[in-house]
Amino acid sequence: SVDLWKEKVPFALRFSLGVFFIMMFGISIIVSFLLARQISRPIVQLASATQRVSRGELDVQLDLNEEGEMGILIESFNQLTRDLKAKNEELLHTQRIAAWKEVAQRMAHEIKNPLTPIQLSAERIRKRLDNPNREKFDEVVKNGTETIIGQVRVLEHLVKEFSEFARMPNPILINQQLNPIVEESVKLFIDSVNINFILKLSKNLPEVFIDKRLFVGVVNNLIKNAVEAIQNQRKENSENLETQEEILGTIRISTRLEKKLLRKTVVLTVEDSGPGISSDLKEKIFQPYYSTKGGHGTGIGLTIVEKTVYDHHAHLSLEESNLGGCSFKIELPLEDK
């Protein structure tokens, strides 16, 4: 049959048919590739846009003119991000009002505390001034004015803290290494407090987008919080004066790269061996002007930490540490390469 095929069909025709079939096969492969790419392209862009939304970018809109089910899916995604942005703005507005109400109430409470001794001292001076018998008048005036000056300084400190919190700047994010920032903060404390510092900083960490000036403040606040927790525990438990020069406790600071499914983060953890914090106070610890230190803290440090972390599109969590105290964990997202 092959010989018959060759006899009946000229070579030129056979050659043309062969070339034609080869060309058709090649064209079908190219068309299949282009179709597959056209189908997969919006899916890939949709997956990438979904990841950006998960990082908090709510302005994402897909500018793709697709038809059929894919077009419906893209339009649904765009509508979802618009709704999320609107709801987020509404939620932020509600939270801002609630936060400022809380701040106003706490500021009013904090201001009332020094106003009472100021008023009593002034009334005592006035009463002694109106009394014909001015016995110990100089002593009353001296003690009263010292009390007034001291309490005015307390008020000045409160107003300063409030002003700094209210005008916190927006971060200027620059791609840079995290470990040098951590080391810079640790140097401020390591020689000034009698505490054992353990640094576990992973090498070859990828760069993250952070504002160095603001993030140094974050690390400083977390270390200061850990130092004060350990020192307060020591004061409560210390009865033997001979142990005053012993190591107070341990602060462990670590960095690492963490991979979860399609997401990579650089994780900073600050842990201490202090008394820790009860579960019912964990949610309150980040509220403005809430403090667990009694009259020794303004309760604004961790609020600033939380705001700065959120401004870096990062995540902050508080857990228990196996050292015995608290473990503050910051997860900084990595940009897709």
Side-chain angles (χ1 to χ4, degrees), residues 112-318:
K112 281 172 60 178
N113 290 335
L115 284 180
T116 300
I118 289 175
Q119 180 180 356
L120 292 175
S121 297
E123 289 176 350
R124 192 175 297 114
I125 294 173
R126 178 64 180 271
K127 185 178 180 180
R128 181 64 63 177
L129 182 62
D130 293 339
N131 193 335
N133 181 12
R134 297 193 176 185
E135 184 181 356
K136 298 183 179 180
F137 177 73
D138 292 343
E139 181 180 349
V140 171
V141 172
K142 182 180 179 181
N143 293 338
T145 52
E146 287 179 353
T147 299
I148 292 173
I149 292 171
Q151 296 303 314
V152 167
R153 286 174 180 167
V154 172
L155 287 173
E156 289 176 345
H157 179 69
L158 287 172
V159 172
K160 180 182 177 183
E161 291 283 335
F162 181 81
S163 299
E164 289 179 354
F165 176 60
R167 63 170 182 262
M168 282 184 63
N170 292 324
I172 301 174
L173 305 182
I174 300 175
N175 206 21
Q176 56 191 303
Q177 289 289 339
L178 175 63
N179 285 348
I181 294 177
V182 174
E183 292 170 344
E184 180 180 329
S185 293
V186 172
K187 287 180 182 178
L188 299 175
F189 294 89
I190 198 166
D191 294 326
S192 59
V193 294
N194 196 22
I195 294 177
N196 180 34
F197 281 84
I198 300 175
L199 289 181
K200 292 186 175 182
L201 307 181
S202 295
K203 297 181 179 180
N204 302 320
L205 280 178
E207 293 183 337
V208 288
F209 281 93
I210 48 180
D211 184 317
K212 179 180 178 180
R213 180 172 56 92
L214 294 180
F215 213 82
V216 165
V218 167
V219 182
N220 288 349
N221 258 312
L222 292 180
I223 296 177
K224 179 183 176 184
N225 190 74
V227 169
E228 291 176 348
I230 293 172
Q231 290 177 338
N232 290 339
Q233 182 187 43
R234 172 70 182 278
K235 289 178 181 178
E236 293 177 1
N237 298 336
S238 178
E239 295 179 355
N240 187 354
L241 296 178
E242 296 178 358
T243 64
Q244 289 293 322
E245 297 302 323
E246 294 180 0
I247 293 295
L248 295 179
T250 300
I251 295 176
R252 182 169 60 205
I253 304 173
S254 61
T255 59
R256 70 179 187 277
L257 177 64
E258 192 171 273
K259 301 179 181 179
K260 292 182 179 179
L261 298 177
L262 300 176
R263 190 175 187 183
K264 295 180 181 179
T265 57
V266 171
V267 178
L268 166 66
T269 307
V270 179
E271 305 173 75
D272 64 71
S273 61
I277 186 170
S278 59
S279 57
D280 59 320
L281 295 180
K282 283 185 178 180
E283 295 184 0
K284 297 180 180 180
I285 199 71
F286 297 108
Q287 292 180 2
Y289 297 95
Y290 179 85
S291 176
T292 59
K293 303 168 188 175
H296 303 290
T298 60
I300 199 172
L302 291 179
T303 305
I304 293 176
V305 168
E306 183 184 48
K307 183 182 185 304
T308 304
V309 169
Y310 287 168
D311 285 345
H312 282 72
H313 310 296
H315 181 260
L316 173 66
S317 59
L318 172 59

Side-chain angles (χ1 to χ4, degrees), residues 36-47 63-66:
R37 186 174 182 181
Q38 184 177 0
I39 295 173
S40 63
R41 183 174 61 90
I43 296 176
V44 171
Q45 292 190 15
L46 184 60
D63 187 17
L64 297 174
N65 296 321
E66 300 292 333

